[in-house]
Amino acid sequence: MKSDATGKPHDRMAAYLSDDMAAVSALIRERMASKHAPRIPEVTAHLVEAGGKRLRPMLTLAAARMCGYGGPYHVHLAATVEFIHTATLLHDDVVDESAQRRGRPTANLLWDNQSSVLVGDYLFARSFQLMTEPGSMPVMRILSNAAATIAEGEVLQLTAAQNLATDEQVYLQVVRGKTAALFSAATEVGGVIADAPEDQVTALYDYGDALGIAFQIVDDLLDYQGDTGATGKNVGDDFRERKLTLPVIKAVAKADEEERAFWTRTIEKGKQEEGDLDHALMLLAKHDTLTATQRDACDWAEKAKAALAPLPDHKLKDMLIDLADYVVARIS
């Protein structure tokens, strides 16, 4: 393993874990193959090889190595995490009717919705095959629970995203389901496979949970103030898709009667007109909800960093701390 003292924290981590990351990539390519359905590797490769950071599998590798693991199965678990993540992205793009992912056309746009859904199902099945190979019941429990929690979070979002009664507590429940569950599972299984002490496994879970929440809050914030070239999304996509994310939830909580009528028309009823996005941005600025959302993201990043206290001193621990800072630095 090689170390690199320069660059972004996830790049440094990828360099430090380069041998493990190469093994994960090789296993992903091997297991996404299909003798009978060539569309499966075509669709999967379009997304898997689109230049993503592979942050979640990297967290699994980092947690395992930091806890002293020397066996081969952290690679299987990292690949499992990436397959679960890729499957959810394929399904999400169909549900959201997305046209762009990581700056490229989505699989459902290039092929069709049926292909995206069915290939996503295939990857979920592959992930369950992979998670059984270490022969660890606790590992299977953690990852299978995460898969169920992710699906539950996505369904909850369907009912909560366009309901102005959705408050910050419900939003947090959605985020814990659809995003943080896989982060926390990724870090937790790294500790479990390494047979780390219980307090360290709990610390890894707490780190992943808080990091995942910060990550999603930042994503939701960048939808209203991000750079399309950097994010691969158009500013205001969540508004156009009528998703009630944290900046809007905070604005709705402070809205007067006229402002609430605007949110009811645009989000609940979906009757959007020219200039509505600009008006929404004005209301967010009026109530300073983007700044408040940024503070929340920073608070969760601090919780992630603090959670790592029980872990032993290690270069990877320092990189995980830097990663939490980097997640929120994207909005500073």
Side-chain angles (χ1 to χ4, degrees):
M1 293 180 289
K2 303 171 184 177
S3 180
D4 180 2
T6 63
K8 298 172 182 176
H10 54 272
D11 291 334
R12 297 201 308 274
M13 200 180 304
Y16 188 87
L17 298 166
S18 58
D19 293 342
D20 287 343
M21 290 295 289
V24 171
S25 295
L27 187 58
I28 286 172
R29 285 192 296 270
E30 174 190 328
R31 299 301 178 92
M32 74 184 193
S34 170
K35 293 180 181 178
H36 308 296
R39 181 159 294 186
I40 289 173
E42 290 174 6
V43 174
T44 305
H46 173 73
L47 192 54
V48 167
E49 298 173 5
K53 301 180 186 68
R54 292 199 176 163
L55 182 59
R56 293 156 189 82
M58 199 186 308
L59 290 173
T60 299
L61 299 176
R65 289 300 194 192
M66 188 168 49
C67 292
Y69 184 65
Y73 289 116
H74 62 318
V75 171
H76 293 68
L77 299 182
T80 298
V81 167
E82 184 67 3
F83 273 156
I84 293 173
H85 179 54
T86 304
T88 62
L89 294 184
L90 287 168
H91 288 170
D92 286 353
D93 287 341
V94 172
V95 171
D96 296 340
E97 299 179 350
S98 302
Q100 191 178 55
R101 167 78 64 180
R102 295 172 181 165
R104 304 172 70 192
T106 53
N108 54 302
L109 188 65
L110 292 178
W111 285 274
D112 49 52
N113 285 342
Q114 295 95 322
S115 294
S116 288
V117 170
L118 293 174
V119 172
D121 291 346
Y122 178 83
L123 294 182
F124 266 125
R126 279 299 203 199
S127 75
F128 278 87
Q129 289 177 327
L130 274 166
M131 75 175 70
T132 65
E133 293 183 21
S136 167
M137 188 60 70
V139 160
M140 288 189 283
R141 175 185 55 78
I142 292 164
L143 290 171
S144 59
N145 284 350
T149 301
I150 291 165
E152 185 180 38
E154 294 287 359
V155 175
L156 175 60
Q157 182 176 245
L158 285 178
T159 57
Q162 296 164 7
N163 181 358
L164 292 192
T166 296
D167 58 16
E168 294 191 26
Q169 182 177 357
V170 174
Y171 169 83
L172 186 60
Q173 187 177 353
V174 170
V175 168
R176 272 212 158 96
K178 72 171 195 171
T179 302
L182 193 54
F183 276 80
S184 57
T187 48
E188 185 180 10
V189 293
V192 169
I193 199 68
D195 199 24
E198 185 177 349
D199 65 326
Q200 293 184 13
V201 172
T202 299
L204 288 167
Y205 171 89
D206 290 342
Y207 172 83
D209 177 63
L211 184 72
I213 293 170
F215 186 92
Q216 186 59 56
I217 292 175
V218 168
D219 259 15
D220 292 343
L221 187 57
L222 288 174
D223 187 78
Y224 286 100
Q225 64 178 38
D227 173 27
T228 299
T231 64
K233 294 173 60 179
N234 297 313
V235 172
D237 276 351
D238 284 349
F239 177 77
R240 284 182 284 269
E241 294 167 10
R242 302 164 58 199
K243 289 183 180 178
L244 199 62
T245 57
L246 192 55
V248 175
I249 290 171
K250 289 180 179 293
V252 169
K254 295 182 176 181
D256 60 25
E257 187 175 345
E258 181 181 346
E259 292 166 2
R260 189 172 183 86
F262 168 80
W263 295 120
T264 299
R265 173 175 64 81
T266 56
I267 300 295
E268 282 197 340
K269 297 181 179 178
K271 296 178 180 178
Q272 297 188 7
E273 303 167 355
E274 187 72 27
D276 279 346
L277 175 58
D278 289 336
H279 188 68
L281 290 169
M282 182 275 291
L283 292 178
L284 299 184
K286 174 184 175 181
H287 295 296
D288 205 19
T289 68
L290 297 180
T291 301
T293 300
Q294 182 173 347
R295 283 197 298 269
D296 285 357
C298 291
D299 288 346
W300 281 106
E302 289 300 317
K303 289 178 183 177
K305 290 158 59 178
L308 291 174
L311 274 297
D313 289 339
H314 197 287
K315 285 184 179 180
L316 285 166
K317 179 178 177 179
D318 295 337
M319 291 178 194
L320 290 174
I321 290 171
D322 290 345
L323 179 62
D325 286 330
Y326 175 74
V327 163
V328 293
R330 296 184 297 158
I331 53 173
S332 61

